[in-house]
Amino acid sequence: MALPVSGEAMNVIAPRSGVAFTLDAGETLTIVDPDGEQVADFVCFARNDPAEWLSSGRTFDYNETIRLTRGHVLYSNRSRPLATIVRDDVRMHDFLLTPCSQDTWRICYGDASDRSPGCFGNLVAALAAYGIGPDAIPTTFNVFMHVAVAAHGGLEVLPPRSRPGDAFAIRAACDLIVGLTACSAPASNNGTYKPIHFAIEAEGSSATSK
């Protein structure tokens, strides 16, 4: 379900779950890993037209890197800035892999018995309150996720480098609908499932940057 939040209060996303909420232009969303080695899948949509969504391809193209960090802009499928990264304690995230799902358990892990909806299912449930359906959910920005890219193109999911209390923050360039999870994939989180914390700061507040 949608979770309305405002001000600077810290919010908790329980392990293997997700939420959705709105973020106003100029507000800062800070995502915190309270216990370390926990990924958070992040996605956003333009609030005035959710058919405009966060695009990994446009973002990689215009920033000319797949290693996004403080100062880089997150672009939409319509080439409009949606947000800017203003804090990055870890400097290692993933924007290549799709949100985990029950199909991930079946295809990647060979385990059809895991009934967790995964990040995809959690985003579907949370974003439904805003009229956003499953087919509209793009590749997520996987905060704190460590994916190594080999010279031959192979991908390897490694334990996150985030330590307890590490944070990542973006400042919204326009009014957004945000989906956010505490990732459900065991490989992404070094075999454990932990919560994610987040806070929203009003325009003019200063998020500590690293």
Side-chain angles (χ1 to χ4, degrees), residues 16 21 28 86-88 91 101 107 119 130 134 162 166 175:
R16 300 193 111 187
F21 50 90
T28 297
V86 295
R87 176 173 176 172
D88 186 3
R91 298 179 176 87
S101 66
I107 296 170
C119 288
Y130 296 97
S162 53
D166 278 344
D175 293 344

Side-chain angles (χ1 to χ4, degrees), residues 67-200:
R67 294 302 185 203
L68 301 166
T69 189
R70 183 185 172 203
H72 287 136
V73 175
L74 305 180
Y75 286 90
S76 78
N77 56 310
R78 297 174 182 168
S79 299
R80 182 167 65 127
L82 296 181
T84 299
I85 301 172
V86 295
R87 176 173 176 172
D88 186 3
D89 295 352
V90 178
R91 298 179 176 87
M92 177 59 71
H93 316 280
D94 168 68
F95 207 2
L96 295 170
L97 303 185
T98 58
C100 61
S101 66
Q102 289 193 348
D103 289 323
T104 305
W105 316 148
R106 177 177 58 85
I107 296 170
C108 295
Y109 298 140
D111 181 11
S113 66
D114 190 337
R115 303 317 301 163
S116 166
C119 288
F120 180 74
N122 287 328
L123 288 171
V124 168
L127 290 166
Y130 296 97
I132 297 171
D135 291 339
I137 297 174
T139 298
T140 47
F141 187 102
N142 304 310
V143 181
F144 308 130
M145 188 172 181
H146 185 184
V147 176
V149 182
H152 58 76
L155 302 176
E156 183 180 6
V157 177
L158 300 173
R161 293 180 177 176
S162 53
R163 298 169 298 180
D166 278 344
F168 174 89
I170 58 103
R171 182 167 293 125
C174 59
D175 293 344
L176 299 174
I177 299 166
V178 172
L180 188 64
T181 74
C183 181
S184 302
S188 299
N189 308 296
N190 202 17
T192 62
Y193 310 112
K194 300 176 289 296
I196 283 290
H197 293 177
F198 71 96
I200 294 175

Side-chain angles (χ1 to χ4, degrees), residues 23-41:
L23 191 68
D24 293 341
E27 289 185 327
T28 297
L29 169 65
T30 300
I31 301 166
V32 178
D33 181 356
D35 299 319
E37 296 190 331
Q38 174 62 45
V39 170
D41 286 28

